Amino acid sequence: MNNLISIFEKPKPIIGMVHLRPLPGSPMYNPTLMDMKKIIHIAQEEAKILEEAGVDGLQIENIWDYPYQKGLDISKATVAALAVAVNEVSNNVKIPVGVNCHMNGAPESMVCAVSSNAKWIRVFEWCNSFISQVGFVDSVAAETARLRHDLRADNIQVFCDVNVKHGSHYIIHDRSVAEQAMDVEAEGGDAIIVTGFDTGMPPTPERVLEAKKAVKLPILLGSGVSLENASELMSIADGAIIGSWFKEDNNWKNPVSFERTKAFMKEIDKLRGTL
């Protein structure tokens, strides 16, 4: 747990999602309807709602930029806009923030993190490979680790998914969740993220335990955590990244709900009190 303790004040931290509206360069970006000033304003407002409701950190990502680019194809406009947005949100809250650049843009996320005082990045495929909606996605550990070193940014942690949602892992079907978690640990990841099959779908307790027993790294839940399953899943995991449940009607495309977030954090505080 030392990796998380260096970032978060409380045990079992809950990270709320700030879903940036379509950024410049993406198909749905329309500056007539929503320019960067408005995108940043909405992100800051939602970040403040999450902070006031009690979350322990914020992860900022360009989720509305679909269909996603990957690797070297990720637009310079995307990286620049994401860095600006993360910096503006970070300066407007007191809790730590992290970055996720779709799709598997770990070097891009690292640059954004360094530019905005973010504390971590999320990486869908640090080790191994999978087939996502945008095609083949390969590991990015080597180039990202070297970039982090070159930027003197060893303090920025890397939260790594295993069997990440949104794709097929048949290409490595002979590698269990536990073995993939061990790969991440061996290749310098700082935390493991376990998800369900899709956004809003939780992992099974068995899957979380499989990863937890295999490594010494902290295990984070990356999808599907709700008020109903929080007690069971959070008793096993070391923290969670939550998007859908904190939104109105449990839909990630909707605005953040203070009431839903506050009720969830109240339950988490009860759970923390029993540790």
Side-chain angles (χ1 to χ4, degrees):
M1 284 297 292
N2 288 341
N3 293 345
L4 298 183
I5 290 173
S6 67
I7 298 176
F8 304 101
E9 295 182 358
K10 296 182 179 180
K12 295 185 180 292
I14 302 298
I15 300 168
M17 294 295 304
V18 176
H19 293 136
L20 297 173
R21 272 51 176 186
L23 297 177
S26 68
M28 290 192 292
Y29 175 66
N30 186 337
T32 301
L33 297 177
M34 188 176 296
D35 60 11
M36 274 299 294
K37 183 177 181 179
K38 188 170 183 179
I39 292 170
I40 290 171
H41 175 73
I42 292 173
Q44 289 177 325
E45 290 297 305
E46 294 195 335
K48 290 299 292 184
I49 291 171
L50 290 166
E51 181 179 40
E52 290 170 6
V55 303
D56 304 294
L58 301 168
Q59 183 169 283
I60 305 165
E61 64 178 45
N62 60 324
I63 195 170
W64 282 95
D65 284 358
Y66 57 79
Y68 303 121
Q69 298 170 307
K70 59 180 180 176
L72 295 176
D73 294 331
I74 295 176
S75 167
K76 293 180 176 63
T78 297
V79 180
L82 181 59
V84 169
V86 174
N87 186 64
E88 291 298 317
V89 171
S90 178
N91 288 336
N92 202 48
V93 296
K94 297 179 180 179
I95 54 178
V97 303
V99 191
N100 180 22
C101 182
H102 291 281
M103 169 61 74
N104 209 41
E108 291 76 14
S109 294
M110 185 62 67
V111 170
C112 290
V114 170
S115 302
S116 58
N117 197 35
K119 305 302 181 184
W120 74 89
I121 65 172
R122 180 176 184 174
V123 183
F124 286 160
E125 201 69 23
W126 182 251
C127 300
N128 299 303
S129 304
F130 80 116
I131 307 298
S132 75
Q133 299 114 318
V134 300
F136 181 75
V137 176
D138 206 357
S139 62
V140 289
E143 58 264 45
T144 308
R146 284 163 176 77
L147 177 63
R148 176 169 62 174
H149 177 72
D150 291 344
L151 294 174
R152 304 298 187 265
D154 293 331
N155 61 305
I156 297 174
Q157 295 191 24
V158 181
F159 296 172
C160 307
D161 283 85
V162 293
N163 264 40
V164 66
K165 56 189 177 180
H166 302 314
S168 167
H169 298 271
Y170 187 79
I171 193 172
I172 53 167
H173 72 279
D174 59 332
R175 303 287 293 170
S176 67
V177 168
E179 289 170 331
Q180 291 179 59
M182 292 167 65
D183 290 342
V184 169
E185 185 173 53
E187 295 296 319
D190 298 298
I192 303 293
I193 302 174
V194 181
T195 69
F197 178 73
D198 202 353
T199 296
M201 296 179 63
T204 63
E206 292 76 17
R207 188 169 181 161
V208 180
L209 279 171
E210 182 183 353
K212 191 170 182 63
K213 291 178 180 179
V215 297
K216 296 180 180 178
L217 297 178
I219 305 298
L220 298 170
L221 306 169
S223 70
V225 184
S226 67
L227 196 59
E228 287 75 19
N229 63 29
S231 179
E232 178 181 28
L233 291 176
M234 289 300 295
S235 66
I236 306 168
D238 300 307
I241 302 170
I242 301 177
S244 298
W245 185 257
F246 290 162
K247 299 297 190 73
E248 294 177 3
D249 299 323
N250 194 28
N251 185 332
W252 72 262
K253 294 184 178 182
N254 289 340
V256 169
S257 168
F258 176 84
E259 291 75 18
R260 289 175 67 91
T261 308
K262 186 68 175 180
F264 183 91
M265 293 309 301
K266 185 177 180 180
E267 289 301 310
I268 292 299
D269 285 337
K270 290 180 182 178
L271 178 60
R272 286 167 172 162
T274 63
L275 295 176

